[in-house]
């Protein structure tokens, strides 16, 4: 039976500035889900990339005295280099300045025009140069400001081409009715539905004053509003990501778009309508996450009070950062992060709960059974705690509940630590009358460590790979407790997460 295809995307990141923690957060979230689906045997395609047109890039480049293309080239390289730094496994990196993307955008937008979903008109209204977004009256903040960037909006009057979004009101309402999980979490879905039901207006598709953008295929005097060019990357990438192969039939529609809440309107309202206008099936689902807030000022003993992701990665590895962000902030919500919070999670959970468990278990197998995992039965009490967890874990990640899924695994890690204290293998080792019980305890500890580590592969890919290698585990598919009989040779492991030094 052929594997299920599964296509996940990040937003493409705007190259008017360098990468920051928010970009890393979206990409790591998509990576967790991509790795999990690969473990399930799915045929995964994971896309990320950069958005390289529009007025903000023009302005930023002019400020530096360089061309927009030079700025795009410089910052796109930094975004592409971010992937390996944070341990992500994307299959392709798209740049919207790629001529292959530009050609496909022209083809798709000409189709939208030919299908009758475009008209010419005069635009009068408020525009945010930072969002590259024309604001409706209900999106304008106090004093005619942008509620996202808190800057005064520009009043713009110009003749543009318009995408007839208003004509998709009924179809979008029906789409949300048919697919209650089109946007998750629910409160983000409600925001999208409320925006649609509040009445849709046609949206500007082009600007006559824009110089750094793609020309409209039917009117070269106007250049395309950047969001239309950018959104189409999810479709265009599939046509050239693999040399000589069009992957569109294999992967479209996208199974999941991952993004932050500030681009909800474009993805949850305009994007499905644009797909319909072009004769494309809309994406299946979108997960919207909140912002990471540096609200706390308490300092850690080693990192000060600014959580610099690159410093964290350099000192503690990408896995530690990945773990902290999804453990600390409930995915989908806004949440505060801090250096003190990172240090506490690192020491208490990564170093003590997990790292110490691995070190103790493998050291005991080495000491008491010469490094060979005993063959024994599954402990009944431990089996009860593990029962149903894999199914629940899959269900949570199917709903993109990354934090809740990680909590489920951590409950197993803590259960294994309690099992060590309850059974006290060091005491059993002195009782030569009952060697079978020590065999059973050691087998269950190794088996529990193996099963939980397989579940942690998406979150801690480098650490999990290292530990699974020591456990002589070649398969990376998720496994039930007791599915491996023992008999394998294992080795001691140095501390997976060394103690923090001030």
């Amino acid at each position: 039976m052929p594997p299920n295809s599964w296509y996940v995307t990040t937003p493409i990141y705007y190259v008017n500035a360098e990468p920051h923690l928010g970009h890393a957060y979206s990409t790591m979230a998509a990576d967790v889900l991509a790795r999990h689906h690969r473990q399930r045997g799915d045929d995964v395609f994971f896309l990320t990339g950069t958005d390289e047109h529009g007025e903000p890039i023009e302005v930023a480049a002019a400020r530096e005295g360089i061309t927009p293309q030079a700025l795009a080239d410089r910052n796109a390289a930094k975004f592409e280099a971010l992937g390996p730094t944070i341990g992500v496994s994307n299959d392709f990196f798209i740049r919207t300045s790629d001529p292959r993307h530009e050609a496909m955008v022209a083809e798709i937008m000409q189709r939208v025009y030919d299908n009758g979903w475009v008209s010419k008109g005069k635009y009068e209204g408020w525009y945010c140069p930072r969002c590259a977004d024309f604001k409706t009256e209900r999106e304008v903040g106090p004093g005619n400001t942008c509620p996202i960037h808190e800057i005064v909006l520009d009043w713009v009057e110009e003749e543009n081409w318009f995408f007839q979004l208003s004509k998709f009101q009924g179809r979008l309402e029906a789409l949300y009715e048919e697919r209650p999980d089109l946007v998750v979490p629910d409160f983000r879905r409600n925001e999208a539905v409320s925006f649609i039901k509040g009445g849709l207006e046609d949206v500007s598709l082009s600007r006559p004053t824009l110089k750094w953008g793609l020309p409209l295929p039917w009117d070269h005097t106007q250049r395309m509003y950047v969001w239309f060019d950018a959104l189409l990357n999810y479709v265009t990438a599939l046509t050239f990501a693999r040399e000589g192969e069009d992957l569109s039939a294999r992967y479209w529609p996208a199974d999941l778009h991952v993004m932050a809440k500030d681009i909800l309107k474009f993805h949850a309202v305009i994007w499905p309508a644009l797909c319909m206008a072009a004769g494309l099936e809309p994406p299946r689902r979108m997960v919207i996450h909140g912002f990471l807030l540096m609200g706390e000022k308490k300092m850690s003993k080693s990192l000060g009070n600014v959580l610099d992701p690159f410093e964290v990665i350099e000192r503690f590895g990408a896995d530690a950062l990945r773990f902290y962000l999804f453990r600390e902030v409930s995915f989908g919500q806004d949440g505060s992060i801090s250096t003190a919070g990172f240090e506490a999670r690192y020491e208490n959970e990564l170093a003590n709960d997990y790292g110490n468990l691995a070190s103790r278990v493998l050291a005991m197998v080495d000491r008491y059974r010469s490094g060979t995992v005993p063959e024994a039965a599954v402990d009944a009490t431990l089996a009860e705690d593990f029962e149903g967890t894999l199914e629940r874990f899959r269900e949570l990640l199917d709903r993109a509940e990354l934090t809740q899924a990680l909590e489920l695994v951590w409950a197993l890690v803590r259960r294994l630590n309690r099992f060590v204290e309850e059974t006290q293998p060091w005491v059993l080792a002195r009782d030569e009358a009952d060697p079978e019980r020590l065999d059973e305890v050691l087998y269950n500890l190794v088996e529990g460590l193996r099963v939980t580590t397989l579940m942690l592969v998406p979150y801690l890919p480098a650490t999990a790979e290292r530990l699974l290698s020591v456990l002589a585990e070649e398969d990376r598919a998720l496994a039930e407790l007791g599915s491996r009989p023992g008999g394998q040779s294992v080795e001691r492991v140095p501390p997976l997460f060394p103690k923090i030094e001030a």
Side-chain angles (χ1 to χ4, degrees), residues 294-314:
M294 287 288 289
E296 299 176 21
K297 298 301 181 187
K298 186 179 177 184
M299 294 172 62
S300 82
K301 64 188 179 187
S302 64
L303 289 168
N305 64 358
V306 176
L307 192 73
D308 179 338
F310 300 104
E311 183 185 356
V312 168
I313 290 168
E314 185 178 342

Side-chain angles (χ1 to χ4, degrees), residues 222-425:
Q222 300 234 0
R223 292 189 179 269
M224 198 177 303
Y225 180 40
V226 65
W227 276 100
F228 288 86
D229 161 24
L231 287 165
L232 284 168
N233 93 91
Y234 304 131
V235 175
T236 67
L238 296 176
T239 66
F240 60 85
R242 290 187 188 155
E243 193 68 37
E245 189 178 359
D246 187 339
L247 302 173
S248 304
R250 183 167 162 186
Y251 292 111
W252 192 261
D255 291 274
L256 189 67
H257 292 316
V258 177
M259 73 205 71
K261 65 180 183 179
D262 55 332
I263 52 177
L264 170 67
K265 177 184 77 172
F266 301 101
H267 284 80
V269 180
I270 296 173
W271 177 225
L274 181 60
C275 287
M276 294 173 187
L280 297 165
E281 189 177 343
R284 292 194 173 102
R285 275 200 317 151
M286 307 175 196
V287 59
I288 318 296
H289 66 75
F291 291 157
L292 301 174
L293 310 171
M294 287 288 289
E296 299 176 21
K297 298 301 181 187
K298 186 179 177 184
M299 294 172 62
S300 82
K301 64 188 179 187
S302 64
L303 289 168
N305 64 358
V306 176
L307 192 73
D308 179 338
F310 300 104
E311 183 185 356
V312 168
I313 290 168
E314 185 178 342
R315 293 182 61 182
F316 305 104
D319 283 5
L321 180 65
R322 292 165 67 107
F323 175 84
Y324 171 66
L325 295 178
F326 296 118
R327 192 87 173 98
E328 186 80 359
V329 178
S330 183
F331 190 68
Q333 308 285 336
D334 291 345
S336 291
I337 57 173
S338 67
T339 56
F342 171 82
E343 186 175 272
R345 294 277 187 192
Y346 181 92
E347 290 191 331
N348 296 332
E349 298 185 339
L350 288 177
N352 291 341
D353 286 353
Y354 185 57
N356 191 45
L357 172 69
S359 296
R360 291 176 81 189
V361 168
L362 292 167
M364 287 189 291
V365 174
D366 180 56
R367 182 177 179 184
Y368 303 135
R369 291 297 181 262
S370 302
T372 299
V373 180
E375 296 184 27
V378 174
D379 181 271
T381 59
L382 202 59
E384 197 172 306
D385 291 306
F386 274 73
E387 187 177 359
T389 54
L390 272 189
E391 183 181 354
R392 177 73 175 142
F393 183 67
R394 291 189 188 100
E395 288 172 354
L396 288 168
L397 288 180
D398 279 343
R399 298 201 298 268
E401 295 184 16
L402 276 67
T403 303
Q404 292 83 347
L406 184 53
E407 170 58 33
L408 183 73
V409 183
W410 222 253
L412 298 179
V413 171
R414 288 176 168 156
R415 177 65 188 100
L416 290 169
N417 277 297
R418 290 199 310 275
F419 189 70
V420 173
E421 299 307 318
E422 290 164 3
T423 58
Q424 298 185 321

Side-chain angles (χ1 to χ4, degrees), residues 88-266:
V88 303
S89 59
N90 56 294
D91 295 286
F92 190 65
F93 187 96
I94 187 172
R95 296 183 57 186
T96 58
S97 61
D98 189 314
R100 297 170 296 180
H101 166 77
E102 295 177 355
M104 280 301 301
V105 167
E107 182 182 315
I108 294 170
M109 292 309 299
Q110 183 66 51
R111 197 188 313 158
V112 173
Y113 176 84
D114 293 343
N115 289 345
W117 300 114
V118 173
S119 59
K120 202 166 191 181
K122 186 176 181 182
Y123 177 80
E124 293 185 6
W126 296 107
Y127 174 79
C128 175
R130 297 269 297 278
C131 291
D133 182 23
F134 295 99
K135 303 292 184 181
T136 64
E137 287 300 322
R138 54 198 163 121
E139 294 177 286
V140 175
N144 298 320
T145 57
C146 171
I148 296 171
H149 293 106
E150 299 179 346
I151 60 171
V152 176
L153 298 167
D154 296 335
W155 180 262
V156 174
E157 297 182 19
E158 57 190 25
E159 191 173 54
N160 298 338
W161 287 92
F162 285 78
F163 174 56
Q164 296 175 352
L165 181 64
S166 60
K167 293 185 177 179
F168 290 88
Q169 175 102 25
R171 291 176 69 178
L172 287 173
E173 288 180 6
L175 179 67
Y176 274 87
E177 190 69 29
E178 293 161 10
R179 299 193 200 169
D181 65 343
L182 177 64
V183 172
V184 293
D186 283 346
F187 68 95
R188 297 295 180 203
R189 176 190 182 277
N190 294 341
E191 285 179 29
V193 170
S194 175
F195 188 92
I196 293 165
K197 291 192 172 179
L200 295 177
E201 301 173 9
D202 294 348
V203 294
S204 181
L205 175 62
S206 66
R207 302 198 69 193
T209 56
L210 182 66
K211 298 181 180 64
W212 183 242
L214 302 186
L216 291 179
W218 63 88
D219 181 356
H220 284 201
T221 68
Q222 300 234 0
R223 292 189 179 269
M224 198 177 303
Y225 180 40
V226 65
W227 276 100
F228 288 86
D229 161 24
L231 287 165
L232 284 168
N233 93 91
Y234 304 131
V235 175
T236 67
L238 296 176
T239 66
F240 60 85
R242 290 187 188 155
E243 193 68 37
E245 189 178 359
D246 187 339
L247 302 173
S248 304
R250 183 167 162 186
Y251 292 111
W252 192 261
D255 291 274
L256 189 67
H257 292 316
V258 177
M259 73 205 71
K261 65 180 183 179
D262 55 332
I263 52 177
L264 170 67
K265 177 184 77 172
F266 301 101

